[in-house]
Amino acid sequence: MRPVRTITALATLLAATLALAPTATAAPASAEATSVRDVITDPDGSRHIRYDRTYDQLTVLGGDFVVHEAADGTYEGTDRAVPGSVSVPSTTPRLSAPRAADLATSLLREANPGAVLHSLVAKPQLVVDALHGSPKLAWRTTAAAKDSLGNPTARTVLTDAITGAGIDSWDSLETATGDGRSLYSGTVPLTTSRASSGGYELNDATRGNTYTGDAGNKTDTCVLGICLERAPAKVYTDADNHWGTGKTADRSTAAVDAQYGTDQTWDYYKDVHGRIGIADDGKGSYNRVHYGKDYNNAFWDDNCFCMTYGDGDGKTFGPLVALDVTGHEMSHGVTSSTAALTYSGESGGLNEATSDIFGALVEFHANNASDPGDWLIGEKIVKPGAKTAALRFMDRPSMDGKSADCWNKNVGGLDVHYSSGVANHFAYLLAEGSGPKTVGGVRDDSPTCDKSKLTGIGKEKLGKIWYRALTIYMTSSTDYKGARTATLKAAKDLYGSGGKEYAAVAATWSAVSVN
């Protein structure tokens, strides 16, 4: 049975607890005052009275404490945020309120690099800060604004009201843990934010303020690569923090998949490679779902630092918000921020393959029973009866009818989605080895171009080698020969030139005819 909140006999509790307050705070009554914030009564009648404290009518940060009483009213103890009494030499600030507001707005802008903020307001409040060492007079200023898409951002800044020194600052958008019923990944956890108007927003402050919005089936208006008008991204809101229904009829269901995929991609790069955000700057991207009408595509755009998902035509594809598709597209942002592989020729094939490789690894890392990791890309979005079962088959790329399994001098002339096959084949063989096997419930059978037999070194080592090669050694013009050199250098850095990993990289490139 859960404890319940009550104000029953609050006056009696208040009288009893105020007698304890001097013991709990050791404060002179003339300067300090207490007020009851909350009372919780346990099933056995025990009570827990939570107090806030003020000093000379100023809120005391760290002044809160909880008094515990037995069912018969006997005092059982006190838990305090900070020990001891609170006092400050003066409650007259030397730093003005407007100056405190300016400092807070500057920090808000720094926390949103590159964003154009509007409707910016800052509200300083004079407080006594007992949380950060000796009590001191401080300004607690909440600065809030909206970005160009109308999404909120806010930061609370604590500044010494005497010296003007910064004390602390933090994101003011409260996060909460909700869940969503997705199209492809089952019921998934979601970290969201409290909406200023009540309820919740699909905005994750723990992952750089990544959010998901509805494009309203509109499209961008662009000329020669310059977008004059962008489709909207109206952030999703929900009353109870339980999102979607698992059905396409509910527009928030696709948003669940997109946000979940973004979360999992962020977590993969952070957990495995120590990369904080797509650009490794701690800044989140955003998602637009329901883009266009019957749009059979999803794409990453560096200009808006955002992901965009179509709903599919309902015949070949459903909404393109599957986990591996999200990992794929967002990894284009990683490539753009690092090697910036040119999107044509062999470099373009390596660009696409990088996204396929990390898209698959994101799916493996997520370890979701509803969408177990495999070496197919986009299998979840393909509708029954379509001509293909997936967008990519990494064990044998030519199964799509167009991709190359092995390098040849004409590979660079293929569309980049098909010249990527050589690197995808390499990645599969390096991780899993050659021959038949079942991975993630999918029956694979990967041949080699030189008839060799290979033993894989595992997905984790593949990811580490490819990531180091991408971020340290590859450049905009890297071709397949250069990729072989880059991955060998990465393997040497990570595992030594005499290790099995270095030998496996060399043998695997040879197995796809890159010698």
Side-chain angles (χ1 to χ4, degrees):
M1 183 174 181
R2 296 179 60 191
V4 295
R5 298 177 184 272
T6 178
I7 57 172
T8 303
L10 184 57
T12 302
L13 289 174
L14 180 57
T17 312
L18 282 177
L20 299 172
T23 301
T25 64
S30 60
E32 292 190 77
T34 59
S35 61
V36 174
R37 184 200 306 177
D38 193 21
V39 180
I40 293 178
T41 302
D42 290 338
D44 67 358
S46 300
R47 292 169 294 201
H48 313 275
I49 305 96
R50 184 178 298 276
Y51 283 90
D52 289 318
R53 226 186 316 178
T54 59
Y55 180 89
D56 202 10
Q57 300 184 342
L58 300 178
T59 296
V60 177
L61 305 184
D64 54 304
F65 59 95
V66 183
V67 174
H68 308 286
E69 290 183 345
D72 63 0
T74 304
Y75 171 70
E76 291 193 326
T78 302
D79 287 310
R80 305 171 180 83
V82 294
S85 62
V86 172
S87 65
V88 293
S90 171
T91 56
T92 302
R94 294 179 185 172
L95 183 75
S96 68
R99 179 55 180 156
D102 289 343
L103 292 172
T105 55
S106 295
L107 285 178
L108 180 64
R109 294 183 189 281
E110 289 178 13
N112 293 270
V116 178
L117 302 181
H118 63 91
S119 304
L120 199 154
V121 295
K123 297 181 178 180
Q125 177 192 13
L126 199 60
V127 298
V128 173
D129 172 35
L131 284 173
H132 302 83
S134 300
K136 58 183 71 68
L137 192 67
W139 287 108
R140 179 175 61 182
T141 307
T142 298
K146 292 184 178 181
D147 64 18
S148 58
L149 295 170
N151 298 293
T153 181
R155 196 157 190 85
T156 297
V157 178
L158 203 59
T159 309
D160 192 310
I162 303 299
T163 68
I167 299 172
D168 198 0
S169 67
W170 57 90
D171 197 303
S172 300
L173 295 177
E174 295 183 24
T175 62
T177 301
D179 60 66
R181 297 173 64 186
S182 70
L183 284 174
Y184 305 122
S185 298
T187 299
V188 297
L190 296 171
T191 301
T192 59
S193 298
R194 297 273 186 180
S196 58
S197 57
Y200 302 88
E201 291 182 342
L202 203 50
N203 181 322
D204 187 348
T206 69
R207 296 178 175 91
N209 285 316
T210 295
Y211 68 89
T212 299
D214 194 326
N217 297 108
K218 296 181 180 179
T219 59
D220 298 332
T221 301
C222 304
V223 178
L224 298 177
I226 300 174
C227 290
L228 307 176
E229 184 178 359
R230 287 198 174 274
K234 185 179 180 181
V235 66
Y236 277 88
T237 59
D238 187 81
D240 62 6
N241 217 12
H242 300 293
W243 306 77
T245 62
K247 305 294 183 182
T248 56
D250 185 333
R251 291 180 73 86
S252 68
T253 298
V256 170
D257 286 85
Q259 187 75 13
Y260 173 70
T262 304
D263 290 351
Q264 293 304 311
T265 303
W266 177 288
D267 290 353
Y268 167 75
Y269 280 107
K270 178 176 181 289
D271 295 347
V272 177
H273 304 298
R275 189 178 188 86
I276 311 300
I278 295 306
D280 200 19
D281 59 0
K283 177 184 176 183
S285 56
Y286 69 92
N287 301 310
R288 301 183 296 181
V289 296
H290 305 301
Y291 179 88
K293 181 175 174 58
D294 298 335
Y295 187 63
N296 274 337
N297 201 4
F299 60 89
W300 168 267
D301 187 341
D302 281 323
N303 294 313
C304 64
F305 204 71
C306 68
M307 266 296 310
T308 301
Y309 304 87
D311 288 330
D313 59 11
K315 299 176 183 178
T316 303
F317 301 125
L320 285 86
V321 289
L323 177 57
D324 53 3
V325 174
T326 301
H328 170 105
E329 297 299 345
M330 293 184 70
S331 293
H332 279 306
V334 175
T335 297
S336 179
S337 298
T338 55
L341 289 158
T342 302
Y343 205 61
S344 63
E346 291 190 15
S347 299
L350 286 165
N351 190 319
E352 273 296 315
T354 294
S355 285
D356 287 339
I357 292 165
F358 287 126
L361 294 177
V362 165
E363 188 179 73
F364 280 113
H365 185 261
N367 195 27
N368 185 310
S370 296
D371 187 8
D374 54 48
W375 294 98
L376 303 175
I377 298 293
E379 74 280 2
K380 287 284 189 178
I381 68 173
V382 176
K383 302 293 286 187
K387 294 181 180 179
T388 183
L391 300 178
R392 310 276 193 279
F393 304 83
M394 295 179 71
D395 68 319
R396 192 189 295 247
S398 60
M399 287 179 65
D400 66 7
K402 296 181 178 180
S403 290
D405 290 337
C406 311
W407 184 88
N408 62 67
K409 63 181 181 180
N410 299 315
V411 160
L414 297 176
D415 181 280
V416 294
H417 295 89
Y418 307 133
S419 60
S420 63
V422 178
N424 282 344
H425 194 192
F426 164 84
Y428 179 92
L429 289 170
L430 185 62
E432 303 287 354
S434 58
K437 58 183 64 66
T438 299
V439 180
V442 177
R443 186 64 177 169
D444 297 337
D445 191 358
S446 190
T448 59
C449 306
D450 61 357
K451 308 302 181 183
S452 61
K453 293 183 179 181
L454 300 176
T455 299
I457 61 173
K459 297 180 286 293
E460 182 177 352
K461 290 180 177 179
L462 159 67
K464 288 186 177 296
I465 290 169
W466 196 271
Y467 180 81
R468 183 166 180 81
L470 176 73
T471 58
I472 302 296
Y473 295 115
M474 291 186 185
T475 67
S476 59
S477 65
T478 297
D479 56 12
Y480 273 111
K481 180 180 178 180
R484 177 186 173 108
T485 300
T487 50
L488 283 170
K489 287 180 178 178
K492 179 182 178 181
D493 292 345
L494 294 167
Y495 307 109
S497 59
K500 66 177 183 179
E501 295 83 3
Y502 185 93
V505 169
T508 305
W509 277 122
S510 296
V512 295
S513 301
V514 179
N515 295 303

